[in-house]
Amino acid sequence: MTSFRVFAEVCAMRIAILDDYQNVALKFADWSAIETRAELMVFNQPVKHIEELADFDVLCIMRERMPLNRAALEQLHKLKLIVSTGARNASLDSVACKELGIEVRFTEYHDSGAPEMTWALLMALARHIPTENTNMRTGGWQTTIGTDLKGKTIGIVGLGRVGSKIARYAKAFEMKVIAWSENLTEEKAHRAGAELVSKERLFKSADFVTLHLVLSERTRHIVGTDEFALMKKSAYFINTSRGPLVKEDALIAALKNNTIAGAALDVYDQEPLASDYPLRTLPNVVLTPHTGYVTEETYKIFYGDTVKAINEWLSQR
């Protein structure tokens, strides 16, 4: 565990900033007012044992990095406040927090990161950018043949805030847009510039399938062996939403067996992804470490709002 401390003159209050992987939390906001009233500890690596947080009054958490379920929260007897980045956090048991008397506050967010990242990954797949970048750095030249987006079909699973933006991007690239989700209506699909189709038709027809759903018990493993079997061998799969939406073993099998042409992933069942995880060794997958929302603009909002929330809370005490 790598961590460091910023000591206040009087350290009556202890505040933990969790999962600051890039060690930037203190740079993206002014914590000086808090530092005069509390001790700050920044954790740059995932916390392995909940007991490490037992002495903290406040936790500043990055959305959906460290899970805080009821069992974990019940061990944190000193905890009074949790500030989570983003408008919601599926890894935090908010009901348990309320019952345990732990106040929870959320920050605002910058909503362009995830769709932009999705499109970057789609382009990387279509034009084999990671492969050709590696070739250039090792003295090689052209080894792959890309595919044009114009005239291709993109299948969007989930046409909400992010999915609707992807539909607009696709239209700009002159792609055909089809969409499906359990509650999607023809009217909503039409407004987004998409055609509502069945789940089966989407996976059969699309040249690119991109997943944009909120993770819930209803949507967990909504894509698996059957869906990958429907896809064209020339088709690509992109997931920048949540890892557990997909049966990961089914995706790995589809990639190993060349059932699909490839995949691009920014999210995984377990994060951080283990260094020896099979996905890391497959040649037909582009991987990024859940960086869809990791931008300067977003971090300024995340940590700026976190500081504001803590200062407001401290002023009420």
Side-chain angles (χ1 to χ4, degrees):
M1 172 65 61
T2 302
S3 61
F4 62 89
R5 301 184 184 197
V6 178
F7 288 97
E9 293 178 7
V10 179
C11 296
M13 187 79 62
R14 301 192 73 208
I15 301 172
I17 304 171
L18 303 185
D19 295 322
D20 180 16
Y21 297 159
Q22 297 96 350
N23 191 23
V24 294
L26 299 182
K27 300 176 185 177
F28 275 105
D30 181 4
W31 297 78
S32 57
I34 294 175
E35 291 168 12
T36 63
R37 301 183 62 182
E39 173 194 342
L40 293 179
M41 178 175 283
V42 180
F43 291 82
N44 304 128
Q45 301 293 328
V47 174
K48 294 182 179 180
H49 305 289
I50 194 65
E51 294 82 3
E52 297 177 53
L53 304 177
D55 291 331
F56 290 96
D57 303 274
V58 179
L59 298 183
C60 308
I61 64 176
M62 184 63 71
R63 59 175 301 183
E64 293 168 30
R65 286 189 180 172
M66 180 177 180
L68 287 172
N69 56 24
R70 180 180 294 273
L73 292 166
E74 286 177 345
Q75 297 183 60
L76 304 179
H77 303 295
K78 290 188 62 178
L79 186 59
K80 304 175 185 69
L81 173 68
I82 295 175
V83 182
S84 172
T85 60
R88 61 172 176 256
N89 190 337
S91 296
L92 175 64
D93 190 336
S94 297
V95 173
C97 286
K98 184 175 182 179
E99 292 176 0
L100 293 168
I102 302 168
E103 186 173 345
V104 177
R105 299 193 183 191
F106 293 92
T107 73
E108 295 295 325
Y109 62 95
H110 200 67
D111 67 358
S112 63
E116 289 179 4
M117 185 67 177
T118 301
W119 205 257
L121 289 173
L122 187 149
M123 291 293 296
L125 284 173
R127 302 307 294 267
H128 306 290
I129 292 173
T131 299
E132 294 298 1
N133 178 65
T134 299
N135 290 340
M136 290 293 288
R137 292 179 180 277
T138 56
W141 196 240
Q142 296 179 8
T143 61
T144 64
I145 300 175
T147 184
D148 290 307
L149 298 185
K150 181 179 179 180
K152 295 297 193 302
T153 297
I154 184 169
I156 304 174
V157 180
L159 204 59
R161 178 179 52 82
V162 176
S164 295
K165 282 196 173 187
I166 296 300
R168 294 197 292 272
Y169 295 173
K171 285 292 185 180
F173 281 79
E174 300 180 69
M175 300 180 76
K176 179 181 179 181
V177 182
I178 59 177
W180 172 86
S181 67
E182 289 187 346
N183 298 317
L184 182 61
T185 64
E186 287 189 9
E187 180 184 358
K188 184 175 180 180
H190 180 74
R191 286 202 307 267
E195 177 189 358
L196 174 62
V197 298
S198 67
K199 184 181 183 184
E200 180 179 1
R201 181 181 165 194
L202 184 145
F203 279 89
K204 278 186 174 181
S205 304
D207 299 292
F208 297 86
V209 174
T210 181
L211 194 54
H212 301 288
L213 295 171
V214 174
L215 178 63
S216 67
E217 287 309 309
R218 179 173 58 84
T219 60
R220 185 178 296 274
H221 292 168
I222 200 166
V223 178
T225 303
D226 292 343
E227 287 72 27
F228 291 122
L230 290 171
M231 291 176 67
K232 304 174 185 178
K233 285 186 176 293
S234 59
Y236 295 95
F237 179 77
I238 303 111
N239 185 12
T240 58
S241 293
R242 294 293 177 268
L245 293 169
V246 182
K247 291 183 178 178
E248 209 162 75
D249 57 347
L251 173 59
I252 292 171
L255 292 166
K256 283 183 175 179
N257 298 330
N258 295 310
T259 302
I260 60 176
L265 308 172
D266 189 46
V267 290
Y268 311 91
D269 275 6
Q270 296 294 327
E271 298 181 6
L273 193 65
S275 59
D276 59 349
Y277 201 77
L279 280 170
R280 290 184 183 267
T281 64
L282 297 176
N284 54 348
V285 61
V286 177
L287 306 175
T288 50
H290 204 155
T291 53
Y293 64 88
V294 182
T295 67
E296 290 186 6
E297 292 78 10
T298 299
Y299 269 26
K300 286 176 183 177
I301 295 171
F302 278 179
Y303 288 119
D305 283 1
T306 296
V307 168
K308 181 180 178 181
I310 295 172
N311 277 325
E312 288 178 351
W313 181 78
L314 286 172
S315 68
Q316 297 168 1
R317 297 183 62 78

